[in-house]
Amino acid sequence: MRIGIIGPMEEEVSLLQAAFTIKEEQVIGGRTYLVGSYHDHEVVLVKSGIGKVCAATAACVLVNTFKVDAVVNSGCAGSISDQLKIGDIVLSTKLAYQDFDLTIFGYQRGQVPSYEQYFEADHALVAKAEAVAAKLKSEGKFKTPGTSALQIVTGTVLTGDQFISQKAQSLAMKEFFHEAQMVEMEGAAVAQVCTDFKVPCLVIRSASDTASGESPEDFNEFVQLAADNSATLLLALIDAL
């Protein structure tokens, strides 16, 4: 099985790159794709850059050029749930664009014409990741900034080309996406590409900040912690596939 991995930023790919045995580098469209292995599994890792177009471009290349069997988008995100704290992990079951709005034409908020409102992650990947995450948690492998226990949940991840830093913004999104847990800038674009090409996908996100009005400061402090939590889970997931 060949697994394509997308991380938007350096912090989100550094731990993964260090763990992989890199055999080849290919530069396509200005992005460097690292082809290698992790234990007995083939991997292709790319730092996509931030935002929906960057993520979609990277996903297209992984699927069409490198012929990956599954795509995982790993990294950090902002919590928009009152129940989630910094470091907590969400495994995507559904993804949607929070900034796509054709409601004036009768579509649901976030719905792209000819698609459903939500893109779905692969159920088997979600279940496998959930089991792996539970084991890692029991072994104390994840990081938290305080003493509270880390939470791992499945749920809805929202995507948009905005950094959400105000409570009012998260509350507005919850009006349209009641079950949303986190918001970031790439996942739904990856899921849309994988839907088009019928390739299984999963988005793993650890909370680096909360939409409380202080998110930029939170993000700068906790981005590496969150990125490492996501990468730790991803590495264990690859071993379990």
Side-chain angles (χ1 to χ4, degrees), residues 72-220:
V72 181
N73 178 207
S74 171
C76 54
S79 167
I80 56 172
S81 167
D82 293 335
Q83 306 304 312
L84 295 178
K85 307 174 300 301
I86 288 171
D88 289 347
I89 295 172
V90 171
L91 306 172
S92 67
T93 52
K94 300 188 297 183
L95 302 106
Y97 297 117
Q98 57 88 3
D99 60 350
F100 195 100
D101 187 356
L102 288 180
T103 52
I104 193 172
F105 298 112
Y107 293 96
Q108 294 176 288
R109 181 67 176 265
Q111 184 180 9
V112 179
S114 79
Y115 296 89
E116 300 294 330
Q117 182 185 23
Y118 294 98
F119 301 99
E120 291 197 7
D122 182 76
H123 299 298
L125 281 177
V126 173
K128 181 70 75 173
E130 196 171 13
V132 168
K135 183 175 185 295
L136 291 175
K137 179 181 176 180
S138 70
E139 296 170 348
K141 299 296 187 182
F142 296 118
K143 303 174 182 177
T144 59
T147 58
S148 58
L150 179 129
Q151 299 179 87
I152 302 160
V153 301
T154 58
T156 300
V157 175
L158 300 181
T159 299
D161 286 324
Q162 303 163 303
F163 184 87
I164 303 302
S165 61
Q166 299 298 324
K167 188 69 173 178
Q169 293 174 293
S170 64
L171 291 174
M173 283 186 284
K174 297 282 276 187
E175 289 185 28
F176 300 100
F177 308 99
H178 304 297
E179 299 176 357
Q181 303 272 23
M182 287 191 184
V183 61
E184 37 86 291
M185 300 177 70
E186 295 83 24
V190 173
Q192 183 175 355
V193 170
C194 289
T195 296
D196 286 348
F197 291 100
K198 297 180 172 55
V199 174
C201 78
L202 172 66
V203 173
I204 300 172
R205 295 291 183 177
S206 178
S208 56
D209 54 276
T210 60
S212 61
E214 300 178 348
S215 291
E217 290 79 5
D218 289 350
F219 180 84
N220 290 331

Side-chain angles (χ1 to χ4, degrees), residues 7-14 47-50 76 186 219 223:
M9 302 184 301
E10 183 63 31
E11 293 90 342
E12 293 164 313
V13 300
S14 58
K47 182 176 71 174
S48 65
I50 296 170
C76 54
E186 295 83 24
F219 180 84
V223 60

